[in-house]
Short mmCIF file of all heavy atoms in Angstrom, two decimals:
data_model
loop_
_atom_site.label_atom_id
_atom_site.label_comp_id
_atom_site.label_asym_id
_atom_site.label_seq_id
_atom_site.Cartn_x
_atom_site.Cartn_y
_atom_site.Cartn_z
N GLU A 134 -22.85 35.59 0.60
CA GLU A 134 -22.85 37.03 0.37
C GLU A 134 -22.55 37.34 -1.10
O GLU A 134 -23.19 38.21 -1.70
CB GLU A 134 -21.82 37.72 1.27
CG GLU A 134 -21.77 39.22 1.09
CD GLU A 134 -20.71 39.90 1.93
OE1 GLU A 134 -20.08 39.25 2.79
OE2 GLU A 134 -20.49 41.11 1.72
N ARG A 143 -30.64 43.46 -1.38
CA ARG A 143 -30.26 44.47 -0.41
C ARG A 143 -29.52 43.84 0.76
O ARG A 143 -29.77 42.71 1.13
CB ARG A 143 -31.51 45.19 0.13
CG ARG A 143 -32.19 46.09 -0.88
CD ARG A 143 -33.39 46.83 -0.31
NE ARG A 143 -34.48 45.91 0.00
CZ ARG A 143 -34.87 45.60 1.25
NH1 ARG A 143 -34.30 46.15 2.29
NH2 ARG A 143 -35.87 44.77 1.45
N GLU A 144 -28.60 44.60 1.34
CA GLU A 144 -27.83 44.19 2.51
C GLU A 144 -27.30 42.75 2.37
O GLU A 144 -27.61 41.88 3.18
CB GLU A 144 -28.68 44.30 3.77
CG GLU A 144 -29.20 45.70 4.02
CD GLU A 144 -30.16 45.75 5.20
OE1 GLU A 144 -30.93 44.79 5.41
OE2 GLU A 144 -30.09 46.74 5.93
N PRO A 145 -26.48 42.50 1.36
CA PRO A 145 -26.03 41.13 1.10
C PRO A 145 -25.25 40.50 2.25
O PRO A 145 -25.40 39.30 2.51
CB PRO A 145 -25.17 41.26 -0.16
CG PRO A 145 -24.86 42.71 -0.28
CD PRO A 145 -25.95 43.46 0.40
N LYS A 146 -24.47 41.30 2.95
CA LYS A 146 -23.70 40.73 4.06
C LYS A 146 -24.62 40.30 5.19
O LYS A 146 -24.51 39.18 5.71
CB LYS A 146 -22.67 41.74 4.58
CG LYS A 146 -21.78 41.17 5.66
CD LYS A 146 -20.68 42.14 6.04
CE LYS A 146 -19.75 41.48 7.05
NZ LYS A 146 -18.55 42.27 7.28
N ALA A 147 -25.56 41.16 5.57
CA ALA A 147 -26.51 40.82 6.63
C ALA A 147 -27.38 39.63 6.22
O ALA A 147 -27.67 38.75 7.04
CB ALA A 147 -27.38 42.02 6.97
N LEU A 148 -27.78 39.59 4.96
CA LEU A 148 -28.57 38.47 4.45
C LEU A 148 -27.78 37.17 4.56
O LEU A 148 -28.30 36.16 5.05
CB LEU A 148 -29.01 38.72 3.01
CG LEU A 148 -29.73 37.55 2.32
CD1 LEU A 148 -31.01 37.18 3.07
CD2 LEU A 148 -30.02 37.89 0.86
N ALA A 149 -26.54 37.20 4.11
CA ALA A 149 -25.70 35.99 4.17
C ALA A 149 -25.53 35.51 5.61
O ALA A 149 -25.62 34.31 5.89
CB ALA A 149 -24.34 36.27 3.53
N GLN A 150 -25.30 36.43 6.52
CA GLN A 150 -25.15 36.06 7.93
C GLN A 150 -26.44 35.41 8.44
O GLN A 150 -26.39 34.41 9.17
CB GLN A 150 -24.79 37.28 8.77
CG GLN A 150 -23.39 37.79 8.49
CD GLN A 150 -23.11 39.15 9.11
OE1 GLN A 150 -24.02 39.95 9.34
NE2 GLN A 150 -21.84 39.42 9.38
N SER A 151 -27.57 35.95 8.06
CA SER A 151 -28.85 35.39 8.48
C SER A 151 -29.07 34.00 7.88
O SER A 151 -29.57 33.09 8.56
CB SER A 151 -30.00 36.31 8.07
OG SER A 151 -29.90 37.56 8.72
N LEU A 152 -28.71 33.83 6.62
CA LEU A 152 -28.87 32.53 5.98
C LEU A 152 -27.99 31.47 6.64
O LEU A 152 -28.43 30.33 6.84
CB LEU A 152 -28.57 32.64 4.48
CG LEU A 152 -29.56 33.48 3.67
CD1 LEU A 152 -29.07 33.65 2.23
CD2 LEU A 152 -30.97 32.90 3.71
N LEU A 182 -36.90 35.21 3.51
CA LEU A 182 -35.84 36.17 3.83
C LEU A 182 -35.25 36.77 2.55
O LEU A 182 -35.04 37.98 2.45
CB LEU A 182 -34.76 35.48 4.67
CG LEU A 182 -33.72 36.34 5.33
CD1 LEU A 182 -34.34 37.38 6.25
CD2 LEU A 182 -32.77 35.45 6.14
N HIS A 186 -35.37 40.81 0.86
CA HIS A 186 -34.16 41.59 0.52
C HIS A 186 -34.10 41.99 -0.96
O HIS A 186 -33.12 42.56 -1.40
CB HIS A 186 -32.90 40.80 0.90
CG HIS A 186 -32.58 40.89 2.36
ND1 HIS A 186 -33.27 40.24 3.31
CD2 HIS A 186 -31.64 41.60 3.00
CE1 HIS A 186 -32.78 40.49 4.50
NE2 HIS A 186 -31.79 41.35 4.35
#
Side-chain angles (χ1 to χ4, degrees):
E134 180 183 352
R143 289 182 293 110
E144 301 174 324
K146 184 174 185 170
L148 174 60
Q150 291 169 334
S151 297
L152 293 173
L182 192 57
H186 279 74

